[in-house]
Amino acid sequence: MQEELLQFQLQQVWVLVDLPNGAKVIGTKWVYRNKKDERGVVVRNKARLVAQGHRQEEGIDYDEVFAPVARLEAIRLFLAFASYMGFIVYQMDVKSAFLYGTIEEEVYVSQPPGFVDPYHPQKVYKVVKALYGLHQAPRAWYATLSTFLEKHGYRRGTIDKTLFIKKDKKDIILVQIYVDDIIFGSTKKSWSDEFEALMKGRFQMSAMGELTFFLGLQVKQSQEGIFISQDKYVAEILKKFDFVSVKSAITPMETKAPLAQDEGGPDVDLHLYRSMIGCLMYLTASRPDIMYAVCACSRFQVTPKVSHLYAVKRIFKYIKGKPKLGLWYPRESPLDLVAYSDSDYAAANLDRKSTTGGCQFLGRRLISWQCKKQTIVATSTTEAEYVAAASCCGQVLWLQNQLLDYGFNFMNTIIHIDNQSTICIIKNPVYHSKTKHIEIRHHFIRDCYEKKLIQVQKIHTDLNVADLLTKAFDGPRFNFLLVNIGMVNP
């Protein structure tokens, strides 16, 4: 606590004043947290003073609050690029980051519990800097950091505003921001050292060396490539839900017993079911192998039955057998953007909607994947595949724009589709008369094809790795797909 308040004093966060007439005071409280490393070992005990921001009123205590946050796909893209270029990724942490942001509104907070000034107990603090808990704090911190980096020659990404780049001929340094956590790397080691010195000269930083743990992802860097996993988190949730000693399953979902509404079955603990689904969904940040099973089970979070709980337990049994499975980004792989699109047809027993599956690669590095129930009821396999292809195309366009900031232009990105009729609709406008019922928003993929932003290419169903995200499989087929999407078990 003393350390936290010392930071307040050094950063001149607030001023002790009398509360003006008509002004309201916002409460403060202490929040305690144990900061752990990638193996769950406590490395620091933190006490943070936060404002009770829920008492703020929009338009009076704050106005704009939006601050950009990096997507997980952006983090994986960063790591994939680093594996290709062969440079080391480092991480830093800004101490009390929000205290560097300056706010414009007049905000008054009460004195910290346990640290009330004995000579002025009735006074309050007028906040000058962005205290944790205030709605505008993230925005104020981002404005401070981005202004500082741009002043020193860094350029913000065109699409991803949390990415900062500096280039000089063939050399490049990349900086990715996630609130107060920063990862960075460069083709020149000296540039990384300069960036670290630059940040330490302006902010109080905790340099943590090479990147090993970020946003729940465990990252292992080597000369051969980068491995991403979440086995620490797997161990935690297996212990939390008592699956440590159960028999493991070879696949995350049974093929012969599709999930249904099961209105006649007994109810289960709703809180337990949702908690299990939430933990598994967090795990999909590095485990596309369980994505379809988790999405299928999540559709029954309103009224889960015993059969649905059994399906969730099956996923836990599967990850118990493969706790260290993760994504492998090999260095010796070309930097080519390629995508795969697939869909089932009316497999959802509840409403007969289809499931979209898609995945995008940089060479053999899986960057992003999608598994989502479609919003429409497709009247044919072709329509379901067409909607899935349009969704995949949208993700490809995002990656193309991201990679422009990295210095790579990927026009004519190939999207592999295993349905010939879908390819014909994309390529040939004559088919438009037969697709009037398809919503207009899905037809943008045809514009992308005409502008040569993408290509569509027929692939055999057996080789379409996006199949993993649309249905359940038996052991041999499932393991084949795992290998081909770049998942390894070290």
Side-chain angles (χ1 to χ4, degrees):
M1 293 182 182
Q2 294 284 2
E3 182 182 349
E4 178 78 353
L5 293 178
L6 178 60
Q7 287 290 332
F8 280 44
Q9 183 178 349
L10 293 174
Q11 301 300 331
Q12 299 179 344
V13 172
W14 52 21
V15 180
L16 193 63
V17 299
D18 293 315
L19 182 66
N21 292 331
K24 71 172 185 178
V25 62
I26 297 172
T28 57
K29 67 176 182 179
W30 290 102
V31 176
Y32 308 98
R33 186 166 71 94
N34 294 326
K35 196 164 186 178
K36 301 179 180 179
D37 62 10
E38 69 274 11
R39 287 295 159 192
V41 179
V42 176
V43 294
R44 186 184 177 191
N45 297 317
K46 296 182 67 175
R48 173 156 287 158
L49 184 69
V50 301
Q52 296 175 329
H54 63 277
R55 297 190 59 189
Q56 288 183 277
E57 293 185 26
E58 186 175 0
I60 299 176
D61 300 312
Y62 66 93
D63 188 12
E64 294 291 337
V65 298
F66 174 78
V69 177
R71 295 170 55 174
L72 275 172
E73 294 99 322
I75 304 301
R76 291 192 292 261
L77 179 60
F78 188 107
L79 296 174
F81 181 76
S83 72
Y84 172 74
M85 299 299 292
F87 62 71
I88 298 174
V89 181
Y90 301 93
Q91 63 183 138
M92 302 178 76
D93 176 59
V94 184
K95 294 181 179 179
S96 303
F98 285 5
L99 303 186
Y100 290 95
T102 304
I103 64 174
E104 300 176 356
E105 300 83 4
E106 283 196 8
V107 178
Y108 300 91
V109 299
S110 61
Q111 297 187 47
F115 294 88
V116 177
D117 190 328
Y119 301 104
H120 306 284
Q122 301 303 319
K123 290 193 174 185
V124 297
Y125 280 109
K126 180 181 179 181
V127 180
V128 179
K129 297 294 184 66
L131 184 65
Y132 280 87
L134 297 179
H135 284 283
Q136 62 267 52
R139 183 180 180 87
W141 157 243
Y142 173 77
T144 300
L145 178 61
S146 59
T147 301
F148 174 75
L149 291 177
E150 288 176 332
K151 179 181 176 181
H152 287 85
Y154 288 83
R155 177 179 60 84
R156 277 193 293 183
T158 306
I159 300 297
D160 184 4
K161 298 302 180 182
T162 63
L163 178 68
F164 293 84
I165 312 110
K166 182 188 283 187
K167 296 179 182 177
D168 181 21
K169 297 179 181 179
K170 292 185 178 181
D171 290 309
I172 185 174
I173 180 171
L174 301 170
V175 180
Q176 189 81 57
I177 308 296
Y178 191 92
V179 192
D180 58 352
D181 291 316
I182 301 173
I183 61 173
F184 60 98
S186 175
T187 51
K188 289 179 69 174
K189 177 64 166 62
S190 60
W191 283 17
S192 295
D193 296 336
E194 289 174 8
F195 175 77
E196 184 175 337
L198 176 69
M199 293 296 291
K200 287 183 176 180
R202 172 64 178 86
F203 309 102
Q204 289 198 16
M205 309 292 299
S206 297
M208 304 165 73
E210 293 186 17
L211 175 65
T212 57
F213 188 67
F214 191 69
L215 301 183
L217 300 177
Q218 294 167 236
V219 180
K220 185 177 181 180
Q221 304 181 66
S222 66
Q223 293 183 348
E224 291 76 29
I226 294 177
F227 180 68
I228 305 172
S229 66
Q230 288 175 279
D231 60 275
K232 165 188 166 286
Y233 183 69
V234 169
E236 288 180 1
I237 62 176
L238 288 176
K239 182 179 180 181
K240 177 180 178 179
F241 297 108
D242 196 22
F243 283 93
V244 176
S245 58
V246 299
K247 185 179 179 181
S248 60
I250 58 173
T251 62
M253 196 172 188
E254 293 184 355
T255 57
K256 297 181 179 179
L259 288 176
Q261 184 64 23
D262 191 18
E263 296 181 356
D267 293 334
V268 297
D269 187 336
L270 184 62
H271 175 76
L272 173 65
Y273 188 85
R274 289 180 175 176
S275 178
M276 295 172 78
I277 289 292
C279 291
L280 290 171
M281 190 61 73
Y282 182 79
L283 186 59
T284 59
S286 67
R287 298 288 297 263
D289 54 324
I290 64 171
M291 189 75 181
Y292 175 74
V294 175
C295 288
C297 293
S298 67
R299 298 169 187 170
F300 303 96
Q301 291 192 69
V302 178
T303 55
K305 305 295 182 179
V306 171
S307 59
H308 307 141
L309 182 61
Y310 174 79
V312 174
K313 289 182 176 180
R314 165 88 179 207
I315 304 174
F316 276 92
K317 292 178 180 179
Y318 165 74
I319 63 173
K320 193 263 180 182
K322 297 180 178 179
K324 297 186 178 181
L325 195 67
L327 296 172
W328 172 242
Y329 291 169
R331 181 177 182 182
E332 298 300 327
S333 177
L335 199 72
D336 296 327
L337 181 59
V338 62
Y340 295 82
S341 172
D342 196 20
S343 173
D344 66 357
Y345 176 58
N349 291 325
L350 185 60
D351 51 18
R352 288 303 171 188
K353 290 182 179 178
S354 304
T355 299
T356 288
C359 49
Q360 295 77 36
F361 293 79
L362 273 181
R364 299 201 309 272
R365 309 169 190 90
L366 180 61
I367 304 301
S368 62
W369 51 90
Q370 304 81 44
C371 176
K372 184 179 180 181
K373 188 164 71 169
Q374 297 178 2
T375 57
I376 64 170
V377 178
T379 57
S380 66
T381 303
T382 299
E383 182 181 355
E385 295 273 5
Y386 187 71
V387 172
S391 174
C392 181
C393 178
Q395 186 68 9
V396 167
L397 295 182
W398 182 82
L399 286 169
Q400 285 179 342
N401 287 315
Q402 280 283 85
L403 287 163
L404 285 175
D405 290 326
Y406 285 75
F408 293 87
N409 188 347
F410 286 105
M411 296 286 286
N412 274 325
T413 299
I414 296 176
I415 299 179
H416 294 286
I417 303 172
D418 59 12
N419 185 286
Q420 187 62 49
S421 298
T422 299
I423 294 175
C424 290
I425 294 174
I426 296 171
K427 288 184 175 181
N428 192 351
V430 174
Y431 276 76
H432 183 66
S433 61
K434 297 182 181 180
T435 58
K436 290 179 179 178
H437 58 286
I438 299 178
E439 294 182 28
I440 296 297
R441 63 190 178 95
H442 300 302
H443 287 303
F444 89 97
I445 188 174
R446 301 168 78 174
D447 293 331
C448 295
Y449 176 78
E450 291 175 3
K451 294 174 182 176
K452 299 188 183 302
L453 296 174
I454 64 164
Q455 293 184 42
V456 286
Q457 195 172 98
K458 180 72 167 66
I459 187 174
H460 194 280
T461 301
D462 292 343
L463 300 177
N464 192 350
V465 293
D467 215 18
L468 181 69
L469 301 160
T470 62
K471 57 182 74 72
F473 294 99
D474 57 16
R477 172 65 177 167
F478 184 79
N479 290 328
F480 171 82
L481 292 171
L482 282 189
V483 172
N484 282 274
I485 65 171
M487 297 197 75
V488 299
N489 200 356

